[in-house]
Amino acid sequence: GAGVSQSPSNKVTEKGKDVELRCDPISGHTALYWYRQSLGQGLEFLIYFQGNSAPDKSGLPSDRFSAERTGGSVSTLTIQRTQQEDSAVYLCASSFGGRGTDTQYFGPGTRLTVL
Amino acid sequence: QQQVKQSPQSLIVQKGGISIINCAYENTAFDYFPWYQQFPGKGPALLIAIRPDVSEKKEGRFTISFNKSAKQFSLHIMDSQPGDSATYFCAASGGAPGGGNKLTFGTGTQLKVEL
């Protein structure tokens, strides 16, 4: 039943603080993606998980960004020493597999504001 | 480098009219072209998708036209309704070195359908 869920829905933090964003994918979906949506950059890919492995981390903008996935399910995106340019909506998507035609289902996103 | 270019940025259409949104891509490794619809405060949701082996795909009022030689594809919304008012994103995927189906998005089109 349930779709992709993300928490928190909104996060306000101060510059320099660390934040953790959580994604609960659809049950049974092996592929999980993180994207970032911002006014200046549009929708950008960050990282792709297949199971607990991350074969594509090419979109992570700096080493302040990291992500992990445990039990082939929940994923956490961590941003260390947040900067104002990190303010954006962080979207998580999951799909049944990682094939080209597997539909990605998006969560509602976490809106991050860095003051 | 913007690999998927989308136009127009915004579009106003009268109820019952046809909405047309255009996209062009550069990466010839792309082999999957979905369109996503996004309402305010929600994550994007898949609307319709096409593979390059066909030139057109229709689902209800929504049609994708695909021109492989020109590397262009477009979304047509027939009999546009006020409920279609949303932001539409074209996307493309394929050829990712790490596998998976990471999406490269266009910049989005804000559609408003007026009564």
Side-chain angles (χ1 to χ4, degrees):
Chain A
V4 177
S5 61
Q6 294 185 244
S7 60
S9 55
N10 281 284
K11 177 72 177 180
V12 180
T13 190
E14 293 179 347
K15 177 182 173 181
K17 300 278 190 180
D18 298 351
V19 295
E20 286 189 351
L21 312 179
R22 177 187 169 105
C23 172
D24 280 272
I26 293 172
S27 178
H29 280 192
T30 63
L32 186 147
Y33 303 80
W34 283 97
Y35 295 88
R36 179 169 72 174
Q37 185 170 25
S38 58
L39 282 175
Q41 300 296 324
L43 266 160
E44 307 171 277
F45 165 81
L46 298 178
I47 188 169
Y48 155 62
F49 285 93
Q50 181 59 244
N52 292 335
S53 301
D56 189 350
K57 305 178 183 179
S58 62
L60 294 178
S62 75
D63 58 8
R64 296 185 296 104
F65 288 73
S66 64
E68 66 173 11
R69 189 180 185 194
T70 56
S73 180
V74 172
S75 177
T76 303
L77 177 69
T78 300
I79 309 173
Q80 295 179 311
R81 305 181 303 281
T82 52
Q83 303 294 311
Q84 289 182 334
E85 61 262 29
D86 299 335
S87 296
V89 176
Y90 289 81
L91 292 160
C92 174
S94 70
S95 65
F96 182 74
R99 295 172 305 175
T101 55
D102 289 331
T103 299
Q104 292 183 35
Y105 296 88
F106 282 80
T110 293
R111 180 175 296 277
L112 175 66
T113 303
V114 182
L115 301 176
Chain B
Q1 180 188 7
Q2 186 183 353
Q3 293 197 55
V4 179
K5 295 183 179 180
Q6 183 171 348
S7 64
Q9 186 174 356
S10 62
L11 181 61
I12 300 175
V13 173
Q14 296 300 308
K15 180 182 175 182
I18 302 173
S19 304
I20 301 174
I21 305 170
N22 300 298
C23 284
Y25 63 98
E26 300 169 6
N27 187 345
T28 55
F30 287 152
D31 60 4
Y32 175 66
F33 302 88
W35 284 88
Y36 278 81
Q37 179 188 56
Q38 185 177 31
F39 293 103
K42 305 290 187 182
L46 179 68
L47 194 60
I48 186 172
I50 197 168
R51 295 293 297 268
D53 52 347
V54 296
S55 60
E56 186 175 283
K57 183 173 181 181
K58 183 176 181 179
E59 290 184 1
R61 297 185 293 111
F62 302 93
T63 299
I64 299 178
S65 297
F66 186 84
N67 185 330
K68 187 175 181 178
S69 61
K71 293 187 285 184
Q72 294 176 346
F73 58 112
S74 60
L75 175 69
H76 295 232
I77 305 174
M78 311 299 288
D79 187 26
S80 299
Q81 299 297 312
D84 297 331
S85 297
T87 301
Y88 293 80
F89 293 92
C90 61
S93 69
N101 192 25
K102 71 175 182 182
L103 296 169
T104 299
F105 285 90
T107 49
T109 296
Q110 276 196 309
L111 171 65
K112 182 176 182 181
V113 180
E114 293 184 335
L115 293 169

